[in-house]
Amino acid sequence: MPSYKVFQMKLTNDQVDEIHREGAENSSLWKFYNDANMFPDGDKVQHAWNCGLYDHMANIEAPDMNQVVHIGNGNPNAEIEHLENKFGRNMHSITIGDVVEDPDGVRWFVNFNGYEKV
């Protein structure tokens, strides 16, 4: 069965501390992070990727991309390989703004209508 890589955008503890110091309403990092998560498009996702805000959180074995979302959203019997990552956190359920790399190495981000190529 094909294996898909799941990348998620998270903040490090230092970044969270920075946002708290500045206040969310004043933090350009928080504004960008929130906007890229809630209203992603290819440019925002690519910029967040280039800024190192994404990390490889898990590998999921699935027959296709649609099943990756199904499995990544709480299928308790699923084949999910959780990975250690720079954030020190587990993968959360797959949602808008997450990136899935298919077996051919093509990256797609989850948007409101399914997937869009990064």
Side-chain angles (χ1 to χ4, degrees):
M1 189 169 315
S3 183
Y4 295 81
K5 296 178 181 179
V6 177
F7 298 85
Q8 294 181 325
M9 191 184 329
K10 297 192 183 279
L11 297 170
T12 64
N13 290 335
D14 289 342
Q15 289 168 322
V16 171
D17 290 344
E18 175 187 330
I19 291 167
H20 285 225
R21 276 192 309 276
E22 294 177 4
E25 66 279 356
N26 298 318
S27 171
S28 59
L29 174 60
W30 175 250
K31 288 175 186 173
F32 173 72
Y33 175 83
N34 196 41
D35 190 46
N37 260 319
M38 300 303 293
F39 307 102
D41 64 32
D43 290 337
K44 291 176 194 172
V45 171
Q46 187 63 57
H47 182 67
W49 186 276
N50 293 343
C51 289
L53 293 177
Y54 281 95
D55 203 6
H56 187 186
M57 304 297 289
N59 296 318
I60 296 178
E61 290 187 14
D64 58 45
M65 295 275 283
N66 291 328
Q67 288 300 307
V68 170
V69 171
H70 173 71
I71 291 168
N73 283 332
N75 184 340
N77 299 317
E79 288 298 323
I80 300 176
E81 176 190 7
H82 293 276
L83 303 173
E84 289 189 27
N85 57 77
K86 65 184 175 189
F87 306 113
R89 299 182 182 101
N90 287 330
M91 179 188 93
H92 57 68
S93 61
I94 295 177
T95 191
I96 303 298
D98 290 348
V99 172
V100 177
E101 184 177 298
D102 68 25
D104 295 323
V106 178
R107 291 189 193 116
W108 304 85
F109 72 92
V110 181
N111 67 18
F112 296 100
N113 298 315
Y115 291 100
E116 187 174 324
K117 194 173 180 180
V118 175

